[in-house]
Amino acid sequence: MKHTKQVKLVVSILALAFGLTCAGQRTTRMDPSDPEHPFNTPAPASSPASDRQLNLWRDQAKAALFLPQTMPPVAARSFGSFVPMPGVIARRVTFASQYDLRVTAIVYGPDHARGKLPAVVVVAGHGGSKSTWYEVYAGLLYASAGAVVVTYDPVGEEERNSLHLSDARAHDTVLPGPDSPARLGGVMIGDVMSAVSYAASLPEVDPGRIAVLGYSMGSFHAALAAGLDPRIRALVLSGGGDLDGNGGSWDSSSKIMCQGGPYQSLSFLPDKGAILYALHQRAGETLILNGVE
């Protein structure tokens, strides 16, 4: 019942926006009087960052995560379709990401589309993939409401696992090399952006109405992707999204490869969380859903 109410709320927010497992961490902030971190304060900044500064931070953040300024061409391939429920058609596809990687996905949509449709990219939590129940449920739910929904396998899960294992969490394996966490985190964030590219390439999709919905670990990657990709017009974060500043809880995450390391690579930003959200705010709205213990 609780999950149903949350999903209904998300549907309502997305409908308004379109015109239609890492748990959340406690946020900590540094001393707001510290002159080294003038943005680490809940008070309004006395001198808001200029557009030029924000654009520079975006470019620098991409470079720190080894993301290209422009994602690779979509180069989508289709592997058939099926009908998971009346009124909804699902397609098995792959599309290109960085380093010549292929992202395996299932894309849901209404079987009789009229006009240009909104799109939702769903980003899985730890151990999740396109076959996880909440990904399937989101695909069916939003497609039946009239949206195109892209669900995909994160690096190391399901069809992107060498043994095709689910809940493998292979992206938690610490790899050698000082830049390995930033690179792997960049791949996972880049996959979100590649999924947005795929959605925007579909003739039935309105590229000005693309949302990203992230769960748990996926909310972390979705939040960073939305700060770096202005094509993401609506952002919904469930079980996460509490980005903090330098030296905070996300920097010290035990998930070094997919969270702690990538976030540390952005420590050149005066206040990472505030700047990333400010970057996304220029393109669209954000809804954060977190439970209370």
Side-chain angles (χ1 to χ4, degrees):
M1 182 64 70
K2 179 180 178 182
H3 290 296
T4 301
K5 290 181 179 178
Q6 285 188 339
V7 168
K8 287 182 178 178
L9 176 59
V10 173
V11 172
S12 299
I13 296 296
L14 288 177
L16 289 173
F18 292 147
L20 289 154
T21 311
C22 169
Q25 303 185 35
R26 185 180 303 278
T27 299
T28 58
R29 304 184 75 87
M30 300 180 71
D31 180 0
S33 65
D34 182 353
E36 294 298 320
H37 301 282
F39 288 84
N40 268 326
T41 170
S46 58
S47 300
S50 65
D51 285 345
R52 180 178 180 182
Q53 178 64 75
L54 288 168
N55 290 333
L56 176 61
W57 277 332
R58 174 180 282 147
D59 290 344
Q60 290 174 332
K62 286 183 177 180
L65 292 167
F66 298 91
L67 284 163
Q69 289 301 316
T70 302
M71 296 305 293
V74 173
R77 301 173 189 167
S78 178
F79 297 88
S81 63
F82 60 98
V83 178
M85 65 177 286
V88 174
I89 188 168
R91 292 169 286 172
R92 301 181 182 90
V93 305
T94 66
F95 50 85
S97 189
Q98 303 169 81
Y99 306 111
D100 295 325
L101 296 174
R102 303 292 300 178
V103 180
T104 48
I106 293 181
V107 182
Y108 301 83
D111 60 1
H112 289 90
R114 294 182 179 180
K116 292 288 188 177
L117 304 178
V120 181
V121 173
V122 184
V123 189
H126 255 109
S129 65
K130 66 182 185 304
S131 298
T132 303
W133 72 268
Y134 57 81
E135 295 254 335
V136 176
Y137 184 69
L140 297 175
L141 183 69
Y142 299 134
S144 64
V148 172
V149 186
V150 181
T151 67
Y152 67 91
D153 295 326
V155 171
E157 294 292 346
E158 201 175 323
E159 291 186 87
R160 298 178 76 187
N161 178 277
S162 61
L163 299 177
H164 283 201
L165 298 177
S166 296
D167 197 16
R169 306 181 183 227
H171 44 68
D172 288 337
T173 302
V174 178
L175 302 176
D179 294 326
S180 292
R183 288 183 182 276
L184 180 61
V187 167
M188 301 185 82
I189 295 161
D191 284 348
V192 182
M193 298 162 68
S194 291
V196 171
S197 295
Y198 170 78
S201 75
L202 297 175
E204 68 269 30
V205 168
D206 179 353
R209 294 192 294 164
I210 297 177
V212 171
L213 167 59
Y215 292 94
S216 194
M217 178 189 72
S219 70
F220 173 79
H221 294 140
L224 269 61
L228 303 181
D229 192 338
R231 299 175 300 171
I232 298 173
R233 303 304 296 273
L235 177 64
V236 179
L237 308 175
S238 178
D242 50 347
L243 300 181
D244 51 12
N246 294 327
S249 59
W250 285 103
D251 276 348
S252 58
S253 170
S254 61
K255 308 299 183 182
I256 297 172
M257 296 299 295
C258 58
Q259 292 176 348
Y263 206 52
Q264 289 172 22
S265 72
L266 302 179
S267 293
F268 65 89
L269 297 172
D271 185 351
K272 294 181 283 193
I275 290 170
L276 289 164
Y277 278 129
L279 285 169
H280 172 63
Q281 188 274 336
R282 302 164 79 203
E285 303 296 327
T286 298
L287 170 67
I288 299 177
L289 301 172
N290 281 313
V292 177
E293 294 181 359

